[in-house]
Structures are given as structure tokens and as C-alpha cells.
Amino acid sequence: GLYGDADWVAAPTKVVRQPLPELPPPPPPPPPRPFVEYFESTEPGGQPGSLNYSPEGRPELVQVSAEQAVAGGQRSLKITKVPGLKYTWQPHCYHASRPHTSGNVRFACDVLNSAAAPAEFSISLRDYSPGHGEFRDGAVVSFAGNGTVRAGDRTLTTVPAGAWVHVEIVFSLGSAGMAATAAGAYRLTLTVGDGAVQVFEAIPYANPAFRQVSWFGLCGADSPGGVYYVDNLRLEAVRP
């Protein structure tokens, strides 16, 4: 404490302090960095650290392979369905990041369904923000063993097994002034190895509450024995 005569002890109470200046709000977080995975830097049999896997500790189910690759590359990710898995959606691989919350976003990859043992699988983009349950699916595109492609609760087309198919999903988040697609919907473009391009506009989100994307994944959905390959994964912001 302060000791002495009364005027000295009372001196601190006479100090006039200016209020602290009001600080500006913190800047918004930077946008997520583009995600790109070509699988060329991982040896065959390995699993890239850029993805997460389920079940864990089963690299024979999801592994880099030199069996198939898009032109210009030497490797891709091979995904194999086997008996005895706990969940029907396994094997499963995914990537999670800070969310894209506004602007135009593009997801792209190349897929090849085995001609000898075609698989059933799906590509999903999800919103894991709080509320409305654990997650909300936006784009969901399913590939059947017979080549059928479905999205938005309808059959869109058929693609051949044994051929690479380039998949591109584009959608807009936030401001309608920047929209590259209709609100609450996405554009799906499929390009088969022979160059044939098919564009499907205004496919509605699987869940209308989808507002941002912080996750994409590939899930199995068929009986054991199916094999498919994935290459050139990308998730990034794009201009309209």
C-alpha cells in the first residue's frame, strides 16, 4: 500500500486516465489454401499424409498404385473393397480443412472404375459448421458398378469402366453477385477419356442447409470385390 500523509496517500485518486482506444475488429481469417494431390510423391503401397483414412491401419485398402494413372502421370490412388469391414461406406478417405465460406469453389478429380471389378462409390462435399446435425452434404455424386452416375436424386448419365473420367464440381457460396452457379445448387462437368464433355447445371445440394465446405471424401458403397482409382484431387477458390 501507499504510506504517508493524507494528501500523499490520496494522490493516486486524483490521476485522470484517458480511456483506452477502441480496437478495430480482427481481420477475417485468410481463405483456405488450395488443396492439390497428384499422388506422384508417394511410393506405391503408401498413403499420402494429405488424406485421412478409414479404417486406419489398412493401407492395402487405400494406397498409391502404379497400375493406373492419368496421362502425364505415373501413379494414382487405388481403393479396394474387401469383406469384413465394419461400415458399408468403408474404405473411405477424406480431407478436412478450414472452410470455404464465400465466393466460387471448384472440386475436381479423375476417377477410373475397374473394368474387371467395378466398384460403387461416391464423392461428397460437406459443411461441418455447428448446428443442423453433425454435417450437411452439398454436392454428392455417385458412381455405380454398371457405369451409372447419379446426383441430385436422379440418374444423369453412364460412363464406361476402364476409362478415366474427369469430374469437376463448381458452386457458389455467399454473395449472389459473385455467383457462378444458381443458389443452393452446383454444376457438374464430366469429361470421359475420349474427350466427350457432359455438363449438368443447377443440381440441388443434398441438404439445403449447406453453406460452406470444409471437407470432401470418397466413400465405398457396394459389396466386396470392387476396385476404383482416383487421381489429381483439387479443392480451390476460383473466379466466376
Side-chain angles (χ1 to χ4, degrees):
L2 189 62
Y3 299 93
D5 59 58
D7 289 341
W8 172 247
V9 172
T13 64
K14 300 175 183 178
V15 175
V16 178
R17 293 179 172 85
Q18 297 297 321
L20 293 174
E22 184 175 346
L23 297 176
R33 299 177 64 180
F35 174 88
V36 180
E37 178 57 79
Y38 296 136
F39 304 109
E40 298 297 326
S41 61
T42 302
E43 291 297 318
Q47 292 183 318
S50 59
L51 298 173
N52 299 281
Y53 307 91
S54 176
E56 297 180 345
R58 297 289 302 276
E60 76 278 12
L61 305 182
V62 184
Q63 62 177 288
V64 170
S65 169
E67 296 173 0
Q68 299 283 354
V70 176
Q74 297 181 333
R75 299 167 185 169
S76 64
L77 192 69
K78 179 181 180 181
I79 303 175
T80 305
K81 183 82 169 184
V82 300
L85 297 177
K86 184 176 181 180
Y87 301 107
T88 58
W89 44 261
Q90 292 175 319
H92 166 54
C93 62
Y94 66 94
H95 173 76
S97 67
R98 287 189 295 107
H100 291 267
T101 59
S102 63
N104 302 301
V105 180
R106 174 173 59 202
F107 170 85
C109 69
D110 296 280
V111 297
L112 182 150
N113 216 346
S114 167
E120 182 177 344
F121 63 94
S122 64
I123 300 168
S124 301
L125 285 84
R126 292 178 179 172
D127 174 356
Y128 270 92
S129 58
H132 301 285
E134 181 185 0
F135 63 83
R136 292 152 298 289
D137 275 317
V140 180
V141 182
S142 301
F143 295 80
N146 63 3
T148 299
V149 181
R150 290 181 57 83
D153 290 329
R154 62 190 176 100
T155 298
L156 302 179
T157 187
T158 301
V159 295
W164 283 104
V165 179
H166 182 69
V167 180
E168 183 171 288
I169 297 168
V170 176
F171 52 97
S172 299
L173 301 168
S175 172
M178 297 180 61
T181 58
Y186 59 97
R187 178 193 308 125
L188 172 66
T189 303
L190 301 175
T191 306
V192 183
D194 62 7
V197 179
Q198 300 181 70
V199 180
F200 305 93
E201 298 280 0
I203 302 173
Y205 294 148
N207 186 328
F210 178 84
R211 294 291 182 272
Q212 62 182 34
V213 60
S214 57
W215 183 102
F216 70 80
L218 295 108
C219 304
D222 66 341
S223 58
V227 176
Y228 67 101
Y229 301 82
V230 183
D231 207 352
N232 300 329
L233 284 167
R234 300 184 69 96
L235 180 65
E236 58 195 345
V238 294
R239 294 183 178 181

